[in-house]
Amino acid sequence: MPLLYPLVLASALFGIGLYGVLARRNAVMMLLGVELMLNAVNLNLVAFDAWFADVVHSGQVLTLFTITLAAAEIGLGLAIILALFRALRTVDVDEVGR
Amino acid sequence: MNIPIDWSLVAPAVIVMVGALVALLVDAFYPRRTWLGSGLPSTGALVVAGVLAHVHRDDIGRLSFALVAIILVGSLFVVVASNIMNFETAMPPGEFHFLLMSAAAGAVLMVVARDLVTLVISLELLSLPSIALVGLRQGDKVAIRSAWTFFLASVVSTAITLMGISLLYGVTGSLDYVEIREALASPEVPQSVVAVAVVLTLVGLLFKLGAVPFHVWIPDTYVGTSVMVAGFLSAVSKAAALGALLILVNVAFPYAYGTWQPLLAVVAAVTMTIGNIGALRQSDAIGLLAWSSIAQAGFLIAPSVALLTTEGLTAPVQYLAVYALANLVAFAALSVVLRLRGSTRIDELKGMVRTDPWMGIPLVFAALTLAGFPPAVIGLVTKYVVIRPVVDSDHVWLAVVMGVNVMLGLAYYLRLVVTLCDQPDGEPYVSPSPPVSVRIAKTTVLLGTAGLIALSAWPDLLLRHLP
Amino acid sequence: MIVTALAVPFVIGLLLMVGRARVSGPVAAAIGAAAMTVSLLLYALVWEGRDVVSGEVDTSWIEPLGARLHLGVTAVSWPFLLMTAFIGVLCCLWLVARDTAPALVGLVLVISASSLGVFSSLDLLLFFVFFELALIPMWFVIAWFGTGDGTRRAATRFLLFTVAGSALVLVGIVVIGLDGGLQVDETVTGSLAAAVLVCLGFAVKTPIVPLHTWLPDAHSTAPTVGSVLLAAVFLKLGTYGLILFAPLMDRFADVAPYLAIAGVVGIVWSGFACYGQDDLKRLVAYSSIGHMGFVVLAISTRSDVGLAAAVFGSVAHGLITGLLFFTAGSLKDRFGTASMAAIGRGLYGRTPWLAVTFVLAAVASLGLPGLAGFWGELLSLRAAYEIGDVLTKPVAWTALALALVGVALTTAYFVRAIRLVAQGEPVEQDADRDLDRREAVVLGALVVAVLVLGLWPAPILDLFEPFTVVAGVAR
Amino acid sequence: MSRRWIYVALTAALATAASIWAVPRLDEPGWFAYVGQGGAGDGPPLPSLSPDLFLYPVSAQVVLLAVGVGLLVQIYSTAYLGHHPRYRSYALIIILFLVGMIAVVGTTNLWVLLVGWEVMGLCSYLLIGHEWQTAEARAGAAKAFLVTRVADLGLLLAILVIGETYGTYDIVGAQIASSQDGVASSTAIGLLVLVAVVGKSAQFPLQTWLPDAMPGPTPITALIHAATMVAAGVYLAARLFPFYADSTVVLTAMAVVAGITMLMGALFALVQTDLKRALAWSTVSQLAFMFAAIAAGDPEAGTDHLISHGVFKALLFLGCGCLMHAVGSSALAAMGGLRRSMPATFWTMSIGFAALAGVIPTVGFFTKDSVLHAIEQSAGEDGGLATGTTYVLLGVALVTSFVTAAYATRLWLRAFFGPVPDGRQEHHGHEAPRAMIGPLVVLAVATFALSIGQPFHLGIGVVGTVIAAGGIAVVVWSWRGGSTLEWTTRPLTAELGLDRPFTSWAPAFARGVSRTVVDLDRDGVDVYPRAGAGVAGLTSRALELVQTRNVQRYATVIAVGVLVLVVAAVIWT
């Protein structure tokens, strides 16, 4: 498989994720956008790893770490959103910013 | 697969992490959740980590050791001065110390990282606890909102950095600094992709430094959180980011200097200018320091245009040391002010040098250090130190921008200084006999000031021994 | 010896500021005068001759940067030092009055001591540290002890202008330091950037048109001693800086023409500006710009005569403008304003001695031969006439012509001022009061100094004659 | 009363000392001969004020004239101004003035000369402005000081050029150098000196300050504006003559200036209605005579006339002071018929007017004769003025002689003869006190005494006498014919409007420019710091607008920032 396909897909994912972060008003949806961006990175890493046939598989190793990090971020993010909701009774970022 | 671990490098971070866990456990199992209960193990861990780092300083390398030392001392300062918060029931001491120590561990790890995986992990280890720290105060709407701001800005920039790292991996096939450098040395690598990758990779670090345009989170976050956490972010977190940036660029990207050198120069110039201008209209001392820390980030980044020379590496570290100490003194003094007077508005500080010289004079001295103005000679000398490599690498225009920014900076530091020295309004505030925690915080402030004065009297102390 | 001479006023100044509640104003002023006298005597005694660096102190300071604690008195700096210490003594004596705040005396001492430090430094970084050290105290002097509206604004303007200039100087010092080190007697640089930055920076301090707009506000709102220190000492920091740095920079030649032209344009500009002033302090402030223009013209020739002219001109201006500001201060003390319209005409008849002093100061300032102001101007003109090493004939002679126009204008505006204030049908006011003893002592001392230097310029000029190596300034 | 004599005694002491110094020098040979030490170095040294006192015969004469007139004026003033509240400062300034004059004349050091020169200028300023309550005195003083000081810049530059050319600031040294290495830069030096003396001696076109200086006390006018200060210009031109003697340009310029001034001054004097002002214009005209002699290459004739003019003009001014003392005004209309009531004043002043008109055997005749002779002689000589110029100059001088005799007669007649004006009581026209008459007598005697030993040039002397007699005759004839001698020719009484550039144009120009400069300084030059502060303030406000606490906006800033940086980086790379 040519390297191009996964890269295009990754770029698209990253872009969509970024759009989600910038455009969605709901905090949870923004988190999802971030997830998409991180997964684009993962896709990139795995694709490059496969393409290089990297012996030490550093790409895949980093992918594993990224997945973990993503989980941690989501955990923290959701906790914050929960606290926000408790404090402000909303998860709409426009409301939060006011 | 047997992965070799260089324990001498990791040991300080591990010790700090252990300290974090101990603090959490003590807090969990010790029925009276006191500040000291979790604070003492933290302090101890930081001291031990420092000793360990000193023992292994040859393995760590002079530069990294200097950065580790700055981070550990800064964390220690924050831990001790944070005692000021012991009266706040909304602030759980165990969690506070655990998060602080975790972040400190991440910071230490960042400056000893020699591959991108470690860098990413340590960056997150620094970021996520910091975010949690910012929002830690329970039921505080402003704090949680600040945490949300910080969180989102942080994860977005982390994602961008990761994207950059993935591209870098795609170009070089490795995540190890040295291997990346060797790969980039070859002329066959696609230059534009490298440029994009380098820029994206640096984003996360610049974000932590608070460089323009990644500075937007700083004012909200500093003002929204507790004072000492802001101090931690401004000193320790920046130290880690700067250290990581210096080492990453110096070790991994020397051949891509065509990309990062102009980038850093422009970013530095814009950052210091925007930071100073932003500070001009602040009416709150914390807000002023927040913007000033953005401006200072510009001064920290500027000498990295000469990163490939020895001086380009040491100058920012020396500047960082003084900046961190002065900033911590200022934040700690302000935390005392906040506790005693309930506000950090600049108007509230009026006449403090006369009514409360033991807090007023340190604030004045810290402000003068940050402004780079005698009698705080060390501030001036470190300004000189950071301008030197800039000029040496023929970026005279940047040096001139730095000069102009010294003037801009003075405009608001002066306001702070003269307000502090002014005739106080109304009745002088008489604080009731302060509790021990305030005394501890005051002592740290005075110790820090003493350090600054000693350095002013004898700048060689710093410039010769660090790094 | 130099260290003592610096430390005494510094320490006493700080002590006075700290212990301001425990001492009365006159006592503080007397202590301050004593301290400055000690300093003056030490500086006078330290002199060992013009071919050596007198009282040299040279110890290590910041090794990695090549900066040393290097102090010493040279033929160039000695007149500046004595003048500064003398003015410092007089400022303290001036403050021996009932309503003096002890803190003001402390600030005056600190400012004087820092300025002495500037003139004593033979290390560029040390020079810069002292250069900056006096600024914030001066802010306080202007903002707290000044009179009129907008003292704070004027003080801040002064400070920011000066710091903008000195920041450029700092960058210039970095360039010089990288090229040739920081020791005045060793270093030399071929960098154009250094020359531009340093000249631009000192141009703000000196000040040179069009970078002068901070000066009138600051001078006119400051208290009397503040104005005196600003004009007599602070402006000299700028000219001394130029004198000190000019020989260090090979590319000074590229900047010199602009400097010369800006200097003489300043002379003419300030002349016209003075002609339209009503406020006496503003008038004196603007006149300082003109006199500094002569000094700048002299420096820009970078010749031996120019050096002598610059040093003499600076010192003479210090004394004469000190005299003018003290006189203006006396008037302001009496009438609450320095506006000539408000003071009224006929001071000759109302307060004869004060009026005579004012006329004498004005006449000295307009450069009448036989008074101190003349020799500096004259030598500047001669330096321009002889063109010097770095200027071209068209530039130098254009500058010369403009400077002559400036001399005429100076006469015109001072004659106008004398006509408006000293002469005229006297209209008595309640505040009419001739000099009291304190004022008489201070003004008398300055008058004597102006006369002595005017009739016997040799003490300073002999430092530069015959032209050989002037120790401490690489040449 | 006795305190006033202290100052007289001081002046007398000064005069005695100066005389002891100067009198033996009168017989020294040579006219500014090259004696004394000095030598050319590599370049001129820095200026010094070592006194370097040295007198030549001519300088000795001028010193004696100055201290003599000074002493007489001081004595005269005890009566004239003795009750003035500011007599003390007045008397002291006169002494200072004399010291300045002695410095100018008695030194070979050009810097000392300059100092003395300017000290005289300052003293003149202070003395003209002695009555500083009155607007005319203030204006006159300011004008005198400004004009002379601007002109003095010429002297300053001339000294610099001499120093550069000959490597020394010593006149004798420079003369030696010029005799060894030849004269150089003569045109430059000469023109600069000319500027200086034109200002100091009130020659065209800088003549207007002298008549306006008349609000000063009359004795001062006698001292400064007749005998000494204005004469110092002539002295200087003569003293430095060797340095520009070979420059035709300079001599021609000087001749033109002298020619214009002498005739103009005489004509203005002819139509004045004020005695003092008429005498002032007469001084201007007579000074031009001296310059004419110098321009003709005979400075000695010029200095001789300087001495004689100093004496008789001082006499006239002091006499004028007596008249003013008597009638309370210097207007001719207030005088008339004073011959009988003030006989001493009448006789002494008559001698003065005779000398002014050039009547034998007063000294005025002889020295004027020498001047005319010098001009005549220089025609056809090599170097110096062109022959045509010389003859024109001679013609103008003769015409001036005629006019001079005419106005002298007119003034004499109008002051002392004719009807007593209506308003004046007879007893007002009383004789002046002895302290005032005494000096007049001394000067009158000197007017004759100085003619002893003066040369006489037959041809030109006869012509001059005839012309003077003609001038006198015309006026006397017209007086006999019933004319009141009120000649008010409009352009002449308005002094040709030559004053306008000084009294209205220059001040208006200075005021206009200064107003513009002040405005520009505030609103123009100050724009850049204010604009800078404004931009910073606006940016600061804009930054606050960005800090909305809206996370999405922050994220957008970050994303856009990254995009910009990436694009920039790609373009750079």
Side-chain angles (χ1 to χ4, degrees), chain D residues 118 138 192 202 262 264 272 275 344 346 378 414:
Chain D
E118 296 275 353
R138 289 200 298 272
L192 290 169
M262 64 171 76
M264 183 185 72
Q272 287 306 320
L275 176 59
F346 168 65
S378 75
R414 288 209 55 187

Short mmCIF file of all heavy atoms in Angstrom, two decimals, chain D residues 118 138 192 202 262 264 272 275 344 346 378 414:
data_model
loop_
_atom_site.label_atom_id
_atom_site.label_comp_id
_atom_site.label_asym_id
_atom_site.label_seq_id
_atom_site.Cartn_x
_atom_site.Cartn_y
_atom_site.Cartn_z
N GLU D 118 34.45 92.30 24.61
CA GLU D 118 33.09 91.90 24.97
C GLU D 118 32.69 92.49 26.32
O GLU D 118 31.52 92.77 26.55
CB GLU D 118 32.98 90.38 25.02
CG GLU D 118 33.19 89.73 23.67
CD GLU D 118 31.92 89.69 22.85
OE1 GLU D 118 30.86 90.05 23.38
OE2 GLU D 118 31.99 89.30 21.68
N ARG D 138 15.53 100.30 27.55
CA ARG D 138 15.57 98.84 27.41
C ARG D 138 15.78 98.44 25.97
O ARG D 138 16.63 97.61 25.64
CB ARG D 138 14.26 98.23 27.92
CG ARG D 138 14.08 98.29 29.40
CD ARG D 138 13.05 97.28 29.83
NE ARG D 138 11.73 97.53 29.27
CZ ARG D 138 10.82 98.32 29.86
NH1 ARG D 138 11.12 98.93 30.98
NH2 ARG D 138 9.64 98.47 29.32
N LEU D 192 36.30 89.37 8.03
CA LEU D 192 35.76 89.06 9.34
C LEU D 192 36.00 90.21 10.31
O LEU D 192 35.10 90.59 11.09
CB LEU D 192 36.40 87.78 9.87
CG LEU D 192 35.96 86.52 9.12
CD1 LEU D 192 36.82 85.33 9.50
CD2 LEU D 192 34.50 86.23 9.41
N ALA D 202 29.44 101.00 14.58
CA ALA D 202 28.17 101.47 14.05
C ALA D 202 28.30 102.00 12.63
O ALA D 202 27.88 103.11 12.33
CB ALA D 202 27.55 102.52 14.96
N MET D 262 29.77 107.75 6.05
CA MET D 262 30.12 109.13 6.44
C MET D 262 29.10 110.12 5.90
O MET D 262 28.65 111.02 6.63
CB MET D 262 31.55 109.49 6.00
CG MET D 262 31.81 109.51 4.53
SD MET D 262 33.44 110.18 4.18
CE MET D 262 34.50 108.85 4.61
N MET D 264 25.99 109.46 4.90
CA MET D 264 24.68 109.20 5.47
C MET D 264 24.59 109.76 6.89
O MET D 264 23.62 110.44 7.25
CB MET D 264 24.46 107.70 5.48
CG MET D 264 23.13 107.25 5.97
SD MET D 264 23.09 105.46 6.04
CE MET D 264 24.15 105.18 7.43
N GLN D 272 18.47 116.34 12.30
CA GLN D 272 17.94 115.91 13.59
C GLN D 272 17.32 117.09 14.36
O GLN D 272 17.79 118.22 14.25
CB GLN D 272 19.04 115.29 14.44
CG GLN D 272 19.47 113.93 13.98
CD GLN D 272 18.32 112.95 13.86
OE1 GLN D 272 17.42 112.93 14.70
NE2 GLN D 272 18.32 112.17 12.80
N LEU D 275 19.49 117.16 19.86
CA LEU D 275 20.93 117.45 19.86
C LEU D 275 21.75 116.18 20.05
O LEU D 275 22.71 115.91 19.35
CB LEU D 275 21.24 118.45 20.97
CG LEU D 275 22.73 118.78 21.15
CD1 LEU D 275 23.31 119.34 19.88
CD2 LEU D 275 22.93 119.76 22.30
N ALA D 344 30.02 129.42 30.08
CA ALA D 344 31.13 128.45 30.05
C ALA D 344 30.81 127.31 29.10
O ALA D 344 31.62 126.91 28.26
CB ALA D 344 31.38 127.92 31.46
N PHE D 346 28.79 127.42 26.69
CA PHE D 346 28.76 127.96 25.34
C PHE D 346 30.16 127.99 24.73
O PHE D 346 30.40 127.48 23.64
CB PHE D 346 28.16 129.36 25.36
CG PHE D 346 28.34 130.10 24.08
CD1 PHE D 346 27.72 129.65 22.91
CD2 PHE D 346 29.14 131.23 24.00
CE1 PHE D 346 27.90 130.33 21.72
CE2 PHE D 346 29.32 131.90 22.81
CZ PHE D 346 28.70 131.45 21.66
N SER D 378 46.76 107.99 -1.50
CA SER D 378 46.71 106.58 -1.87
C SER D 378 46.30 106.38 -3.31
O SER D 378 46.47 105.32 -3.86
CB SER D 378 45.73 105.84 -0.96
OG SER D 378 44.43 106.17 -1.35
N ARG D 414 21.42 126.71 16.78
CA ARG D 414 20.11 126.42 17.36
C ARG D 414 20.17 126.27 18.87
O ARG D 414 19.20 126.52 19.58
CB ARG D 414 19.51 125.18 16.74
CG ARG D 414 19.05 125.41 15.31
CD ARG D 414 17.91 124.54 14.95
NE ARG D 414 16.79 124.67 15.87
CZ ARG D 414 15.73 123.89 15.82
NH1 ARG D 414 15.66 122.94 14.93
NH2 ARG D 414 14.76 124.05 16.68
#
